[in-house]
Amino acid sequence: MVKIGNLELGDFPLLLAPMEDVSDPPFRAVCKENGADLMYTEFISSDGLIRDAAKSIQKLDIFDYEKPIGIQIFGSDIESMREAAAIAAEAGPDILDINYGCPVNKVACKGAGAGILLDIDKMVSMTAEIVKAVNIPVTVKTRLGWSQDTIRIVEVAERLQDVGIQAISIHARTRQQMYKGEADWSYLNLVKANPRLHIPVFGNGDIDSPQKAKEYKEKYNVDGMMIGRASIGYPWIFNEIKHFLATGEMLAAPGLEERINVAKKHLDFSVQWKGEKQGILEMRRHYTNYFRGMPNFKPFRTEMVTAETYEHVATILDQVAEVYADYQFQ
């Protein structure tokens, strides 16, 4: 049984990664229904929380059916992060997660996210202050290092454990790699082999199929996996991985009716939570994967990602159901 603090997550938990403009309540809802064991919010700016910025405050929205759930924060100033951690904890999450992995310039080049990997001592000090500021388990998501020649992830994991974190998720790329190249999970083996480390270690990066999940589970000895990009528009991946790990057999791909029903549920919640304009806009990134592999689908996809009203999108989905009624997914 993998545990974060007193939170029991099963024998090999699958986590939904915190993804900006993706891991919102509507998306988390469909992932939870399809097997995600633990989910994290989009990352939230510590400065935004302290300023009561509307976008940051909205990201604190969590719901009982999502539990267990973690709120993730990021920032570069220790005092601001400590204060933001206390604010986030008041929203009632099960876990507080610290983002030490975001590689984008506007975050990392300001010393937040993966930027803090250039100052491990500060990373440890910041983490220690955040652990003291809240009464819930603190976890960390990070990368292997800033660059290939600055990888110190074995040391980092141990030092963060020693100041109180209760789990670590490691994206097996450096910041320099961004999302390119192959994730190198061999470093996660080294982290797990450290006899002083006793907290759960979750692997992240390139898990896009049940077969790869099984291979990496057996090869790299991690306690669970965090799924990110492969879940966008395809929340079924969580249950597919679980079924394959348990039986060695692949679940049948979701059929057209199920895909349309889940896409509609996702769209409905998105519009309800964000308003029609923003809800429709942020759903656009999901449609390609919801209907991936369907022949001659480009005209429908183009219309869906340019539609500006809920009624228009709903009409297109109904047309898809009619035109592809006999289509079988492989």
Side-chain angles (χ1 to χ4, degrees), residues 68-210:
I69 188 166
I71 290 177
Q72 189 188 74
I73 60 173
F74 76 97
S76 60
D77 179 75
I78 293 178
E79 178 56 28
S80 295
M81 285 288 279
R82 188 197 63 76
E83 189 175 340
I87 294 170
E90 290 177 2
D94 302 281
I95 291 167
L96 182 80
D97 190 68
I98 312 171
N99 182 313
Y100 291 146
C102 180
V104 301
N105 286 340
K106 67 179 181 180
V107 174
C109 292
K110 294 181 179 178
I116 205 166
L117 288 164
L118 290 169
D119 190 345
I120 303 302
D121 289 343
K122 180 181 178 181
M123 183 187 198
V124 173
S125 298
M126 180 181 287
T127 305
E129 290 303 310
I130 291 170
V131 169
K132 293 175 194 173
V134 299
N135 294 315
I136 56 176
V138 174
T139 61
V140 159
K141 183 169 190 285
T142 189
R143 288 186 169 232
L144 298 177
W146 178 263
S147 58
Q148 193 66 31
D149 57 356
T150 61
I151 294 177
R152 295 164 58 188
I153 191 61
V154 175
E155 172 197 344
V156 166
E158 181 178 323
R159 290 180 66 182
L160 294 179
Q161 171 189 266
D162 290 349
V163 296
I165 73 165
Q166 299 194 40
I168 187 168
S169 299
I170 303 171
H171 184 136
R173 288 183 174 87
T174 63
R175 188 271 168 178
Q176 202 171 63
Q177 283 181 274
M178 301 295 285
Y179 296 98
K180 298 175 183 177
E182 188 175 353
D184 187 352
W185 284 53
S186 64
Y187 287 96
L188 277 68
N189 251 346
L190 299 178
V191 173
K192 284 293 296 179
N194 180 358
R196 288 207 65 250
L197 199 81
H198 56 77
I199 59 172
V201 176
F202 303 114
N204 177 230
D206 293 351
I207 300 301
D208 57 8
S209 70

Side-chain angles (χ1 to χ4, degrees), residues 49 89 101 125 135 189 203 214 244 306 329:
L49 283 183
S125 298
N135 294 315
N189 251 346
K214 184 175 189 295
F244 191 76
T306 55
F329 287 89

